[in-house]
Amino acid sequence: MNKKDLAEIKKLLIEKKAELLNKTNNAQRDIDSDNMNVGDEIDTAGQNSDKEMFFELAAGDKITLNAVNDALAKIEKDAYGSCECCGEDIPAKRLKAIPWTRYCIKCQEEAENPKR
Ligand SMILES: [Zn+2]
C-alpha cells in the first residue's frame, strides 16, 4: 500500500468515526426525549418493536465503530492492510470501499457462507 492510498483511507476512517459518534449522540437525545413522554401508554407493543430495531442498529454501529478504531490503531502501528484471518494483503480497492474491513474477500465470504 502506498502512502497516498493510506492517507486517503485514514481520512475515510476518521470521517466514518465522526459520523458514527454523531449518530450515537443523536440517538441518546432521542431516548431522552422519549422518556419524557411516558404518559401515553396506547400502542406500547408497536413502540417496543420500533425500539428493538433501533437497538439492533445501534449495536451494528458499535461493531463498525470498534472496527474503525482498530483500523486507525493498525495504521499507527504500520500494520494496516492485511487480513486478520489468513494474513494476506487486502487489495487497496477493497480497503477503499470498506476501510474498516478486517478480512480479505475470500475469508469474509467463508465467514458468511461456512462450508457444510
Ligand atoms: Zn484472508
Side-chain angles (χ1 to χ4, degrees):
M1 168 122 4
N2 62 44
K3 273 189 181 165
K4 194 173 153 271
D5 281 348
L6 202 61
E8 191 183 325
I9 282 162
K10 193 173 174 181
K11 194 169 154 263
L12 289 171
L13 284 166
I14 290 167
E15 278 170 5
K16 184 69 183 178
K17 188 176 172 178
E19 181 198 317
L20 286 169
L21 289 175
N22 240 327
K23 227 164 150 183
T24 319
N25 290 341
N26 288 339
Q28 194 58 49
R29 268 199 295 277
D30 282 351
I31 291 169
D32 289 347
S33 66
D34 228 28
N35 285 343
M36 279 156 61
N37 301 325
V38 190
D40 188 4
E41 284 180 28
I42 301 160
D43 198 21
T44 356
Q47 281 180 3
N48 279 347
S49 69
D50 279 351
K51 269 192 186 148
E52 273 164 31
M53 274 172 71
F54 164 74
F55 280 118
E56 268 174 38
L57 186 77
D61 283 346
K62 250 187 205 169
I63 291 166
T64 308
L65 187 60
N66 272 335
V68 168
N69 282 331
D70 283 355
L72 285 167
K74 279 194 269 182
I75 288 175
E76 294 306 320
K77 283 187 283 183
D78 222 10
Y80 180 76
S82 53
C83 173
E84 284 183 15
C85 179
C86 67
E88 294 284 321
D89 284 348
I90 302 171
K93 201 180 152 197
R94 172 166 168 79
L95 291 172
K96 281 184 194 172
I98 320 167
W100 53 91
T101 190
R102 298 169 189 274
Y103 306 112
C104 67
I105 292 170
K106 201 172 136 258
C107 293
Q108 180 84 53
E109 279 176 358
E110 273 173 25
E112 281 167 8
N113 306 298
K115 288 185 193 104
R116 274 173 234 173

